[in-house]
Structures are given as C-alpha cells and as structure tokens.
Amino acid sequence: MKGVFYKISTLCLLIATLLVYTGCKKDEPITPQATSASNDALAKLAATNPIMVSTYVRSIAGNRICSDGTGNIYVTVPYEGIYKISPGGVVKPFYLAKLPFFALKAAKNGDIYTTVGGNKIAKISQSGVFTPIEVNVIYGLYLPYDLAIAPDNTLYIADTGNNRIVKVTPDGTASVLAGNGVTGLEDGVGNKAKFNNVTTIKLSADGYLWVIDGNGPRRFKSVRRVTLQGAVTTVKLIPFVYGNDEIQNTSITDLAVAKRDKNFNRSPVESLFLAYGIAKLTHMTTTGVETPISRHSVFAVYDGPIDTALFAGASGICINDNRMYIMDNHFNVIRRVMKKD
C-alpha cells in the first residue's frame, strides 16, 4: 500500500507533533481567574465588546479538548489520562492511565471515545469502564489521529497513516469512506480521493465531515469537506512555498464547527472556527471565506476583549453553545471565549 520509508517518515512527523503538544508537565489545577485585569474591569470592557477571552483553567498540560451536551469539557493528557472539567471550572480525573491518549469526542449518551497510540480506538463510559473498539478494516488502522461520532454512534476515524477516512457503524462494520491510501491532495468520491496526513475530523450538525489535511508536504494546511457518502472537496489550501514555509505560524492545529457567524452571533448556517499554530483564531464560512477574529500573537496570554486578547498556542478547540474553549498548550491553560447572547 505504501513503502516502509513513507510510514517511518509519517510516524516521525506525527511523533514530533505530539511532542510539541505535550512538552510540559501537568501541575495541580488552579481555580479559574483572569490574568490581565480584575473581574470588574473585564465586566466594564464587556459592555463595549461582548466577546471576552478569559483564562478558564490553569496548569493542565493537555492537547485535544471536547465538550458534551451538558456543558462539561474533557481534555486528553498523553501518558496520564483524561480529565473532566465542570461548567464551573472544577477539574477532576475522568480516566487515569499511562497510555498515549490523543483525540477524544463525547457521544450523546456521555461515553467518551478516544484514540490510543498507533492503532487503537477506545470507549470510556461515565462509570470508568474502558472498552477497546475493534476496527476490522483492510490494512488495519495506522496512527489514527482523530475521530468524529454521529448521533447514532457511527464513528468516522481519521486514519492518518493510511491517508483515509474510516467509517465504523454501531454494529461494528468498518469500511473506508474516502481515500485510497495513496498520498496526495485530490478531490473525488470514495477511493478516487487522496489525503495527505489528515489530523482533525469534526462532524457538523448539517451532516458534513470537516478535516484538516496536508497541503502537499504533509503540513497541516488544508481544510477539506467530506460528505457522508464519501465525496471530498478542498475548501481551503495554504500553498507550500519551498524555502518560505512558516510551519508554526500557518499550520492549522484544530477546528470547531458551530452555527455562529464571524461575530459569534447565532446563525442558521454552520461556520468553522480555525486555530492556528500561534493561536491566531479565524472564522471561515463553508465556502472558504476566512476572517481573523483575534490578533496574531507570540507566546503571550492576555485576557480581555477578543480584539485585544493574546494567545500563545492552541492544540485543541471546541464550542459549547455560546462558549469556545481553547487548549492553549504553550502555557498549559484553557482559555474561554464567550459572548452573552
């Protein structure tokens, strides 16, 4: 399907990315608080700019983040476990184990799904029961980097090392939805499409899968839409320029999908929110029109209105109603972007 050299180079790339995400040790969580101004001052600023950024939780060295239907959020910390954070910001262990956890998503019934290591998917119940999920698909999974889950518990897996999207139905039937294992960046349906190290996959309410993929040299710089019938369309592509490739600044680390416009107002249509390597946040329509919503910053954490707030880095992003949560992993904090409707 592919040469040994390609698999080794792919593994090295993904391990390097994971090390960037997990380079700091987790300390004890601290009660959420603002970092740049008093709460009173932030309240006054909110009167003129209702989109506010605050430091929600400190000292958690996580990477991916997700939310459930009740306002809880979850964070994976590789080789340590998964943590659950209440709507009030209280951090508690959800499932502790020295395993290479990475991606995670919450099912409608509260079960948490995660990728574990090089080829495993697992489900963890709210009572802490860990259940490996067998994925019997040709060639097996190779470095699955992310997954999405439908309301009926169908899984869509970013089978990163095999350059494809794998579908697993609730009865355990596995099949390849899109991609053929050959490295590339080609649109098409099913095995006519090609991927180049897809690293993020999210399912929108209108029934599309949105993925972050490579742009040729396997940097994470394209956004592609996949229908549930396996039709792949590239919506955004940051071209590769040899010798001038700002990996940290232009790589897209994660995305979230929500019915919110660029001003974070409720909207009848889906939009995407993209997090870049140095935590530049942007809004993108489903047709690829992109608008910055925060300032580009370098290793700074500063709270306040969205147009003055600063971020350091982002490894994960999720949206729960009128709140956006960002795993700002350079300083091991979770940031909250919130607008009062």
Side-chain angles (χ1 to χ4, degrees):
M1 187 175 185
K2 52 178 70 62
V4 173
F5 174 78
Y6 171 71
K7 285 198 172 187
I8 292 174
S9 63
T10 300
L11 178 60
C12 290
L13 175 67
L14 294 178
I15 289 174
T17 304
L18 184 59
L19 288 174
V20 170
Y21 285 164
T22 59
C24 300
K25 188 179 186 300
K26 177 181 176 295
D27 299 319
E28 288 301 313
I30 300 176
T31 304
Q33 62 181 32
T35 59
S36 61
S38 69
N39 289 333
D40 289 342
L42 290 178
K44 291 178 181 178
L45 288 170
T48 57
N49 188 328
I51 305 177
M52 299 296 293
V53 179
S54 62
T55 299
Y56 185 60
V57 171
R58 298 172 179 274
S59 302
I60 183 165
N63 45 38
R64 290 300 174 101
I65 187 170
C66 78
S67 63
D68 64 18
T70 61
N72 298 302
I73 61 175
Y74 299 80
V75 178
T76 50
V77 179
Y79 297 101
E80 186 171 328
I82 298 173
Y83 288 82
K84 180 178 181 178
I85 305 169
S86 73
V90 178
V91 181
K92 292 183 178 180
F94 175 73
Y95 185 84
L96 298 183
K98 295 185 181 299
L99 297 172
F101 294 110
F102 194 66
L104 81 167
K105 295 287 167 57
K108 190 175 182 180
N109 67 352
D111 289 341
I112 299 300
Y113 289 77
T114 183
T115 59
V116 186
N119 58 5
K120 294 181 175 60
I121 306 293
K123 177 181 71 174
I124 306 172
S125 72
Q126 285 292 319
S127 61
V129 178
F130 181 95
T131 305
I133 297 174
E134 294 293 332
V135 181
N136 296 313
V137 66
I138 186 170
Y139 301 113
L141 298 178
Y142 182 59
L143 298 177
Y145 218 56
D146 200 7
L147 56 86
I149 180 167
D152 68 351
N153 282 357
T154 296
L155 298 178
Y156 298 93
I157 301 168
D159 189 11
T160 307
N162 284 322
N163 290 306
R164 61 188 183 177
I165 306 297
V166 171
K167 175 181 177 180
V168 183
T169 61
D171 66 1
T173 302
S175 60
V176 178
L177 178 69
N180 57 20
V182 178
T183 306
L185 190 69
E186 294 184 15
D187 294 345
V189 180
N191 63 9
K192 301 297 183 183
K194 292 182 181 179
F195 292 94
N196 200 326
N197 282 32
V198 57
T199 57
T200 294
I201 183 167
K202 300 287 178 76
L203 177 62
S204 64
D206 56 5
Y208 290 104
L209 295 164
W210 291 92
V211 305
I212 297 173
D213 198 12
N215 68 341
R218 297 195 297 276
R219 306 306 183 193
F220 315 126
K221 298 186 178 184
S222 67
V223 177
R224 310 181 75 186
R225 185 183 69 188
V226 184
T227 71
L228 300 188
Q229 293 73 44
V232 181
T233 303
T234 301
V235 177
K236 174 184 175 58
L237 174 66
I238 301 174
F240 173 74
V241 178
Y242 184 78
N244 187 31
D245 189 34
E246 296 182 60
I247 299 172
Q248 182 76 357
N249 294 349
T250 58
S251 290
I252 306 168
T253 54
D254 202 5
L255 63 81
V257 187
K259 290 187 176 181
R260 295 271 171 176
D261 64 17
K262 63 183 179 181
N263 297 313
F264 216 50
N265 296 315
R266 294 186 186 276
S267 170
V269 297
E270 299 280 351
S271 293
L272 282 70
F273 293 84
L274 308 181
Y276 283 78
I278 305 201
K280 175 180 70 175
L281 302 178
T282 68
H283 170 274
M284 192 177 80
T285 68
T286 55
T287 57
V289 178
E290 191 172 13
T291 305
I293 59 174
S294 75
R295 292 196 294 167
H296 175 82
S297 62
V298 181
F299 305 115
V301 174
Y302 190 85
D303 291 342
I306 187 68
D307 53 358
T308 61
L310 298 176
F311 297 85
S315 57
I317 178 174
C318 70
I319 294 176
N320 190 316
D321 193 27
N322 67 337
R323 295 169 174 83
M324 180 189 303
Y325 297 95
I326 299 164
M327 186 64 241
D328 205 339
N329 66 322
H330 280 294
F331 286 98
N332 298 338
V333 295
I334 296 175
R335 315 291 298 283
R336 182 175 67 184
V337 181
M338 181 177 175
K339 179 174 184 178
K340 294 183 179 180
D341 290 320

